[in-house]
Amino acid sequence: MEMVQNLIRNLSAAEKLQFYSYHTKPVLNFQALFTDGSSNYMNPVEPKTGDEVTVRFRTARENAEHVFLCVNGEKKEMQIASKTERFDFYESSFFMGTEIADYYFEIHSGGTCCYFNKKGPARDLEPFFNYKVTPGFSTPDWAKGAIFYQIYVDRFANGDTSNDVLNREYIYINQPSKKIDDWYRYPEEMDVRNFYGGDLQGVLDHLDYLKGLGVDVIYLNPIFVSPSNHKYDIQDYDYIDPHYGKIVVDEGNTLPDWENNNMNASKYISRVTDKRNLEASNEFFIHFVEEVHKKGMRVILDGVFNHCGSFNKWMDAERIYENQYGYEKGAFVDANSPYRHFFKFYNQNAWPYNDDYDGWWGHKTLPKLNYEESRQLYDYILNVGRKWVSSPYNADGWRLDVAADLGQSEDFNHQFWRDFRTAVKEANPEAIILAEHYEDAGSWLMGDQWDTIMNYSAFMEPVTWFLTGMEKHSDERRGDLLGNTQAFVDAMVYHMSRFQYPSLMVSMNELSNHDHSRFLTRTNQTVGRTASMGAEAANQNVNKGIMRAAVMIQMTWPGAPTLYYGDEAGLCGWTDPDNRRTYPWGREDQNLIQYHRDIIAIHKDEEALMKGSLKYLYGGFKVIGYGRFTDTEKMVVLINSGFDEARVKVSVWEVGVTDDEEMVEVIMSNEEGYTMEKKVHPVTSGVLDITLPRVSAILLKAVEIEK
């Protein structure tokens, strides 16, 4: 040791620096470590059995001594394949087998060993977050990053008044149907039997509006025959409801004031059981899809297969099919019904008119379908799945209502959805299958069941808590989650880890929908519902700056941004049923609509936003920054939801920005509106020093400095 010390003393300053650089072990730069499942770091992204899969991993330049790819328990050292000024890119390959590939990375540097998976760098490995790839699992390319637009048909536009539900056309949940003549009237507290007249013709009439907004996919809430305005109580899976389609035979009468028996609802019976109306409505749907497709858009349907409705022709609890030509007796009516085992009856001695059956969550209006005891039902619903995505109807996929509830056991549920996927994909390989699901959907997203989900846990909920501090129904306010960046990131990392990459890229990223309060109402940070606060209170003290920030996140996050009709026009509303207000034709917020048009166009134009990797860059109270990037395009999103300016220093080098580039604002929004002025911000040593206005959202893009 003394000899070494004497040697060092005799070295020049330059020689000492060289000696220490050579003999000192590097400190591992954790911020530089990166990979993901995108095409930037994995090729092919959707491998099949037998494919050679090449995986990349990024470290700081000359910072790692060894990088290992660990696949299904086998460890293989990676080699440097390319370099940039700041980074080394390691590569290795493996052959895709017949089973799911489970992989992570092991990095060694300066005596330090760390692991890397979806959780990021860590001293200890948590296999829960490992990358997983299922051979042969792919999702439709048209849906990756697509703009979805959800339409609750009765409330969007009335294009054909001849098919409107009439006053006292029938009785639903002990009260008559009601036709609402004032389009702008708020929904009632008990609104299920109120109809505003929206229909498929109304959607057709506004296709140019949707196309101009930038919509790629129209998602329709249920449109099959049903007595409610929400239509999650299907009456007939084989036909489009003539109230949304075409009524060509309009016989019979509405119910007189003293009559409450639907057996005598002759007008309703004529409208929804006469095959001429049903066939005309199906023909109209064929035309509808053709017109949507001509505009370059697609259509997905709502599949309600866990339960049906008490009006359903298989149950016929309202006895409207009992005496109709061409229909078998319903299970409620007759013990010998061919549909008896489609449902679970508790009392086997209560026929005729047996009302002792299993209802979903106990609701007799929603009989639960009994797949375990009826292969006929099982096959029938599989055929429904095939039918509507096949010629001549040609819908582009299914959204599955309460999909995890179907069946009586989880094992049976998984088997049904495997068979459903096979049936639908054989009929239309490009059809999408996405499910309503609130918790961990990992076991359904392994490539053999659903393509993806309505993204509550990994989008709607974290965004809502961070920006508004509100629960998605406006039923609770959490000050500890408002502006809590760490809670936001932790929730996103955890829940996004449950997706394989093909699922993530088509995940339905919503801010609002038909089951929760409108996001704009959540910005008032008020706990309430129509019953407690009144409908008008949902419009008060809202913050459109926060709304614009939410839309900025939505349009720059991995997945498929999904608009709930009217959100883009400034529609407010408490949770169901107030969230089902009519589209405010003639009363729209045109500035907010134009903001959506512009940011949707940016989303579609930028490869980094459609296909790029995601990396968190900055976090502070009510402030978050993240990057979306490819090898050639780098974009940064900065959100300040606070009511004070925020000066931040963002390490944009982490997404590949160099000192030869500067950051240019693409779009910036605040409480007053938004601007697309190309404001330039310099980058110094890989760091962007910027002041964010209050309640603002900024999207920046790296461009080369002109010399």
Side-chain angles (χ1 to χ4, degrees):
M1 178 63 70
E2 185 176 352
M3 290 179 60
V4 172
Q5 291 174 340
N6 289 332
L7 175 63
I8 293 174
R9 289 192 195 101
N10 293 325
L11 295 176
S12 67
E15 289 171 329
K16 287 179 181 179
L17 180 61
Q18 185 178 12
F19 179 88
Y20 281 116
S21 298
Y22 184 80
H23 290 279
T24 302
K25 293 180 178 180
V27 176
L28 186 58
N29 185 336
F30 286 91
Q31 289 175 275
L33 303 180
F34 189 80
T35 192
D36 63 10
S38 73
S39 58
N40 304 305
Y41 290 92
M42 182 177 176
N43 183 42
V45 174
E46 298 173 331
K48 301 179 178 64
T49 296
D51 283 350
E52 183 177 19
V53 181
T54 301
V55 179
R56 295 172 84 208
F57 189 84
R58 192 189 80 179
T59 71
R61 181 75 179 262
E62 299 179 358
N63 186 235
E65 295 167 2
H66 303 282
V67 177
F68 296 95
L69 170 65
C70 307
V71 184
N72 293 337
E74 295 185 9
K75 187 162 74 172
K76 181 178 181 180
E77 184 158 10
M78 305 180 76
Q79 304 298 321
I80 296 176
S82 61
K83 295 175 178 285
T84 65
E85 181 181 333
R86 290 187 183 273
F87 303 114
D88 290 337
F89 291 89
Y90 290 77
E91 286 188 4
S92 187
S93 300
F94 65 91
F95 284 95
M96 195 75 221
T98 58
E99 303 297 325
I100 293 173
D102 177 298
Y103 70 94
Y104 62 92
F105 301 86
E106 184 178 311
I107 305 99
H108 294 260
S109 180
T112 297
C113 172
C114 86
Y115 301 95
F116 193 102
N117 55 19
K118 290 182 181 179
K119 194 174 183 180
R123 299 289 187 182
D124 300 308
L125 178 66
E126 293 185 60
F128 178 86
F129 292 98
N130 286 356
Y131 295 94
K132 289 181 172 58
V133 183
T134 298
F137 180 27
S138 65
T139 55
D141 286 341
W142 61 260
K144 293 180 173 74
I147 303 296
F148 284 65
Y149 190 91
Q150 179 184 351
I151 295 179
Y152 194 92
V153 179
D154 182 61
R155 307 298 162 84
F156 185 66
N158 189 345
D160 180 359
T161 58
S162 71
N163 61 15
D164 291 358
V165 175
L166 302 176
N167 289 322
R168 298 194 62 83
E169 188 173 319
Y170 55 94
I171 303 297
Y172 187 71
I173 314 182
N174 304 316
Q175 294 292 325
S177 61
K178 185 189 297 185
K179 181 178 184 293
I180 306 300
D181 293 317
D182 179 3
W183 182 258
Y184 301 104
R185 175 177 158 181
Y186 293 143
E188 295 179 354
E189 189 176 339
M190 179 56 178
D191 189 64
V192 67
R193 62 181 78 86
N194 293 346
F195 294 87
Y196 288 71
D199 48 36
L200 292 179
Q201 183 61 56
V203 180
L204 274 184
D205 291 344
H206 292 90
L207 288 186
D208 286 340
Y209 166 72
L210 297 176
K211 183 67 176 178
L213 190 63
V215 171
D216 297 306
V217 186
I218 298 171
Y219 153 43
L220 300 170
N221 283 110
I223 60 172
F224 301 110
V225 180
S226 158
S228 67
N229 58 47
H230 59 66
K231 300 203 178 299
Y232 285 97
D233 47 355
I234 305 298
Q235 184 172 326
D236 191 336
Y237 290 95
D238 291 312
Y239 295 102
I240 304 301
D241 195 318
H243 296 96
Y244 283 179
K246 289 292 181 184
I247 296 175
V248 295
V249 177
D250 204 7
E251 301 173 340
N253 300 300
T254 58
L255 292 166
D257 291 345
W258 48 265
E259 179 63 78
N260 290 310
N261 189 334
N262 279 327
M263 289 186 69
N264 298 314
S266 57
K267 181 168 283 291
Y268 182 71
I269 291 172
S270 169
R271 285 179 161 193
V272 300
T273 70
D274 192 306
K275 293 295 176 67
R276 290 169 292 182
N277 291 329
L278 298 173
E279 295 295 346
S281 295
N282 280 9
E283 287 295 323
F284 184 76
F285 181 71
I286 294 170
H287 168 68
F288 174 86
V289 174
E290 289 174 347
E291 292 302 306
V292 173
H293 285 172
K294 286 178 185 176
K295 296 287 187 181
M297 296 183 285
R298 296 177 184 262
V299 177
I300 63 170
L301 299 174
D302 212 321
V304 189
F305 302 133
N306 167 68
H307 56 271
C308 61
S310 56
F311 279 60
N312 189 281
K313 64 184 179 184
W314 300 332
M315 174 64 81
D316 197 21
E318 298 293 324
R319 300 174 64 188
I320 67 172
Y321 293 96
E322 184 175 356
N323 299 312
Q324 300 308 307
Y325 175 78
Y327 292 93
E328 302 276 6
K329 299 296 184 185
F332 169 86
V333 174
D334 191 339
N336 296 315
S337 167
Y339 313 121
R340 172 174 173 170
H341 296 293
F342 283 26
F343 309 96
K344 186 177 185 64
F345 288 90
Y346 298 112
N347 186 342
Q348 300 301 312
N349 301 304
W351 279 281
Y353 314 125
N354 188 344
D355 67 353
D356 193 13
Y357 54 83
D358 182 23
W360 184 58
W361 283 25
H363 296 295
K364 287 302 180 68
T365 56
L366 302 174
K368 186 168 172 63
L369 293 170
N370 186 27
Y371 291 93
E372 283 88 341
E373 296 182 35
S374 176
R375 185 68 204 191
Q376 181 186 355
L377 169 65
Y378 196 104
D379 290 340
Y380 200 110
I381 294 299
L382 292 185
N383 191 55
V384 169
R386 293 185 193 96
K387 171 181 176 177
W388 293 101
V389 299
S390 303
S391 180
Y393 304 107
N394 296 321
D396 298 289
W398 290 100
R399 176 267 188 188
L400 306 173
D401 185 61
V402 294
D405 287 7
L406 183 143
Q408 303 296 334
S409 71
E410 188 169 322
D411 286 345
F412 185 91
N413 180 280
H414 285 301
Q415 186 57 54
F416 178 86
W417 293 124
R418 289 187 189 100
D419 291 342
F420 185 85
R421 182 181 184 85
T422 298
V424 169
K425 296 290 186 175
E426 284 179 350
N428 182 350
E430 287 298 298
I432 193 169
I433 300 172
L434 60 90
E436 176 191 25
H437 195 73
Y438 285 87
E439 302 300 332
D440 184 347
S443 59
W444 285 274
L445 299 178
M446 303 303 285
D448 59 346
Q449 296 170 70
W450 308 335
D451 283 324
T452 193
I453 58 172
M454 300 176 76
N455 199 1
Y456 291 109
S457 297
F459 190 78
M460 182 191 284
E461 291 179 348
V463 171
T464 293
W465 287 120
F466 176 73
L467 290 178
T468 72
M470 298 298 296
E471 184 267 341
K472 58 185 177 294
H473 289 280
S474 292
D475 282 343
E476 181 186 8
R477 186 176 186 275
R478 291 276 303 271
D480 60 320
L481 294 179
L482 176 63
N484 187 332
T485 303
Q486 194 59 55
F488 173 88
V489 172
D490 288 347
M492 286 295 197
V493 168
Y494 180 89
H495 293 293
M496 288 174 73
S497 75
R498 312 320 300 141
F499 292 81
Q500 292 190 35
Y501 206 76
S503 290
L504 183 65
M505 293 308 293
V506 296
S507 58
M508 185 180 271
N509 293 342
E510 298 178 295
L511 296 171
S512 315
N513 63 28
H514 63 291
D515 284 326
H516 307 97
S517 58
R518 294 269 180 176
F519 186 88
L520 187 54
T521 288
R522 275 175 248 153
T523 68
N524 66 15
Q525 299 183 26
T526 301
V527 173
R529 294 196 175 202
T530 299
S532 60
M533 300 292 290
E536 190 60 40
N539 308 329
Q540 296 171 358
N541 302 314
V542 299
N543 190 314
K544 291 183 180 177
I546 294 294
M547 177 74 183
R548 278 183 279 267
V551 175
M552 175 80 78
I553 296 174
Q554 184 182 40
M555 296 299 163
T556 59
W557 205 258
T562 302
L563 307 182
Y564 183 41
Y565 79 99
D567 266 12
E568 78 279 11
L571 205 57
C572 294
W574 300 113
T575 197
D576 172 18
D578 196 42
N579 54 19
R580 301 168 183 182
R581 298 180 183 184
T582 53
Y583 187 97
W585 299 111
R587 302 181 181 182
E588 308 94 323
D589 182 330
Q590 294 293 348
N591 183 274
L592 194 57
I593 289 175
Q594 190 59 48
Y595 174 72
H596 277 81
R597 286 194 186 106
D598 286 334
I599 200 165
I600 286 171
I602 292 167
H603 166 86
K604 291 183 170 187
D605 286 345
E606 301 292 352
E607 183 183 32
L609 300 181
M610 292 289 285
K611 299 180 180 179
S613 300
L614 169 72
K615 194 174 195 304
Y616 302 100
L617 300 176
Y618 184 89
F621 180 58
K622 294 191 175 183
V623 180
I624 189 169
Y626 57 90
R628 296 293 309 280
F629 61 102
T630 66
D631 285 345
T632 58
E633 189 173 283
K634 289 88 74 172
M635 305 194 80
V636 171
V637 180
L638 299 172
I639 307 291
N640 175 20
S641 61
F643 291 94
D644 295 302
E645 287 186 347
R647 182 179 177 184
V648 298
K649 295 183 178 181
V650 185
S651 298
V652 294
W653 64 265
E654 294 182 42
V655 296
V657 179
T658 71
D659 288 343
D660 293 328
E661 295 173 309
E662 56 194 5
M663 303 300 295
V664 177
E665 289 186 17
V666 178
I667 187 169
M668 187 278 284
S669 72
N670 54 29
E671 291 176 289
E672 287 70 45
Y674 73 102
T675 178
M676 298 176 71
E677 180 184 351
K678 305 301 181 187
K679 189 175 179 180
V680 177
H681 299 272
V683 174
T684 304
S685 300
V687 175
L688 171 66
D689 188 336
I690 185 172
T691 298
L692 309 178
R694 54 175 274 161
V695 191
S696 63
I698 304 177
L699 175 63
L700 306 105
K701 182 176 182 178
V703 299
E704 284 192 19
I705 299 172
E706 293 185 10
K707 297 179 179 178

